[in-house]
Amino acid sequence: MLFHSTNGKIRGVTFPEAIENGLAEDGGLFMPAGMPSLPSAFFKNIQEMSLQEIGYVVCNTLLGDILSSQAIKSIVDDALDFPVPLRKAESSEGLYILELFHGPTLSFKDAGARFMARLLPALFPGGESRTIILATSGDSGGALADSFKDSPSTRVVVLFPRGELSRQQTAMFCNRPNLTAIEVGGTFDDCQMLVKQALADKELDKALSLTSGNSINLARQFPSIIYYFHAYARAREMSPDSDKVVISVPCGNLGNLAAALMAKKMGLPVKRFIGANNANDTFVEYLQTGGLRPRRALMTLARAMDVGNPSNLARIIDLYDGDLASLRKDVEGIAFSDREIVQTIRDVYQAEGYLLGPQSATAYRALQGRLAPDEVGVAMATGHPAKFPQAVMEAIGHTVPPPPQLDGLNLLSQPAVKIPPAKSALARVLLS
Ligand SMILES: *Cc1c(COP(=O)(O)O)cnc(C)c1O
């Protein structure tokens, strides 16, 4: 499989090159020249397959020409070694919640980060030192820090927006010896822009061997594809009478939704998808108008979705060849206010004692009242509620005991380096 840039100037790139560069030289994101298909027979008894078995088949289809089956199996088994259960919502008919937050740092980003940490040494066995740079709206920083904690030759540089992360989030990446945490006086989009500028800088790349740790890197974005086959399998397993599965995805930088649509192009027989936005509704607006109007992100309670200029929209447009009508057939976009998010968390908690995180609440709410009687809805629950205490507090009036993954983290956090949103300032920190 070969890759091209979404900006169209660069073609014929191999997978290792795409991973090593992270971002194409023309500023675009790498995309496969076409998505490979899975045979329809695969879906006949997919409900009997485990997450790891599904992951192996999907990754072999994507990467079988680059890595041995054995290497793929061990990367998948090791990266996805935590449960990803589907839970039936008791208070909403036909609605299920796929809990993607049982990994070591409690968000769906663990899968991609863990996959990347195991893929890099398989693709580049030399073990040379490299720097992974990423912008985080909260969860990527912790996921990358944890995934690379045993890779001393890899330095991880995390840029995060000032004042927007919970203590639970920053604590997860401020404690690692091979990690540099940088607090940027700006938004997530400013952080993302700085990362892209650093990746495009030939001298920085030469000095530091830079690659991206965000979903702009396919090493992190591809593994999310597995989750959609798994979501479908578990929905069929728990609800064998309906084959009309609708999946709802909370969207920020759109890496996760891009993975959903890639899965669909690979043959996943999901009926349709819903992309849920918070007040940062660049994607919903794009679906409505076809116009792309990046804007300054607003700060909301579903902070992991506070992205005004989502990078992976370029991948979605590329996947559909710019054909908005056919994209609209596959995805509906719906945006929710903080008030609606809080109300949803509260309602579900009161009805069945189940606590949704604020991001998951958008996906959940997008399915309520929008399913036909013969449809089954799966809300992608991307983050553990304990990481978002402010939203939980506003919804139910108290926080909840943190799971063991968060134990002791608050005591350990070290302060981050502070910079303004300027590349020169970032370069100084990187080279120091
Ligand atoms: C990152 C994140 C999202 C948004 O995912 P994208 O792939 O950036 O669209 C949603 N929820 C949580 C909990 C996240 O960490």
Side-chain angles (χ1 to χ4, degrees), residues 137-161:
S137 57
D139 292 329
S140 290
L144 268 283
D146 184 76
S147 298
F148 284 91
K149 64 179 187 288
D150 299 320
S151 313
S153 63
T154 305
R155 178 185 180 198
V156 177
V157 179
V158 178
L159 281 72
F160 65 97

Side-chain angles (χ1 to χ4, degrees), residues 119-363:
L119 179 69
L120 287 178
L123 287 179
F124 310 105
E128 70 263 50
S129 63
R130 70 176 75 246
T131 303
I132 295 176
I133 185 166
L134 69 147
T136 186
S137 57
D139 292 329
S140 290
L144 268 283
D146 184 76
S147 298
F148 284 91
K149 64 179 187 288
D150 299 320
S151 313
S153 63
T154 305
R155 178 185 180 198
V156 177
V157 179
V158 178
L159 281 72
F160 65 97
R162 180 168 64 207
E164 294 192 17
L165 272 56
S166 69
R167 263 187 327 140
Q168 287 80 349
Q169 291 181 313
T170 45
M172 287 193 156
F173 58 77
C174 285
N175 303 309
R176 309 280 187 188
N178 61 340
L179 189 136
T180 309
I182 303 178
E183 182 185 282
V184 177
T187 63
F188 170 79
D189 294 289
D190 293 319
C191 298
Q192 177 151 266
M193 184 198 62
L194 284 179
V195 166
K196 286 182 174 174
Q197 288 174 347
L199 288 168
D201 185 313
K202 291 217 167 65
E203 277 175 32
L204 283 178
D205 185 35
K206 204 160 152 230
L208 301 164
S209 187
L210 280 181
T211 192
S212 157
N214 282 109
S215 56
I216 58 177
N217 196 323
L218 288 172
R220 242 202 72 192
Q221 198 262 337
F222 263 180
S224 294
I225 297 173
I226 300 167
Y227 277 155
Y228 290 90
F229 290 90
H230 177 66
Y232 178 80
R234 299 291 77 84
R236 293 306 316 274
E237 183 183 31
M238 286 183 74
S239 191
D241 294 339
S242 175
D243 61 355
K244 299 193 174 67
V245 179
V246 180
I247 302 183
S248 177
V249 188
C251 296
N253 220 4
L254 292 172
N256 203 4
L257 185 66
L261 300 173
M262 287 173 166
K264 172 120 183 145
K265 295 273 180 198
M266 292 174 78
L268 181 67
V270 159
K271 193 172 173 207
R272 59 193 167 90
F273 293 94
I274 301 178
N277 270 157
N278 60 17
N280 298 290
D281 60 353
T282 310
F283 178 65
V284 170
E285 188 183 276
Y286 171 75
L287 280 181
Q288 276 163 4
T289 66
L292 183 49
R293 202 171 55 89
R295 73 288 303 261
R296 198 177 165 74
L298 302 166
M299 205 160 123
T300 77
L301 289 172
R303 211 139 294 163
M305 299 160 69
D306 289 350
V307 183
N309 187 12
S311 284
N312 287 288
L313 185 51
R315 280 208 170 108
I316 293 175
I317 293 170
D318 187 275
L319 193 64
Y320 283 80
D321 246 334
D323 180 352
L324 188 60
S326 71
L327 177 62
R328 281 179 182 150
K329 281 200 193 105
D330 288 350
V331 200
E332 181 187 359
I334 310 169
F336 298 101
S337 65
D338 270 356
R339 199 176 50 79
E340 292 169 307
I341 291 169
V342 164
Q343 189 66 47
T344 305
I345 298 173
R346 183 181 303 138
D347 289 348
V348 174
Y349 190 71
Q350 282 173 355
E352 53 183 291
Y354 182 77
L355 191 60
L356 287 164
Q359 290 77 216
S360 314
T362 65

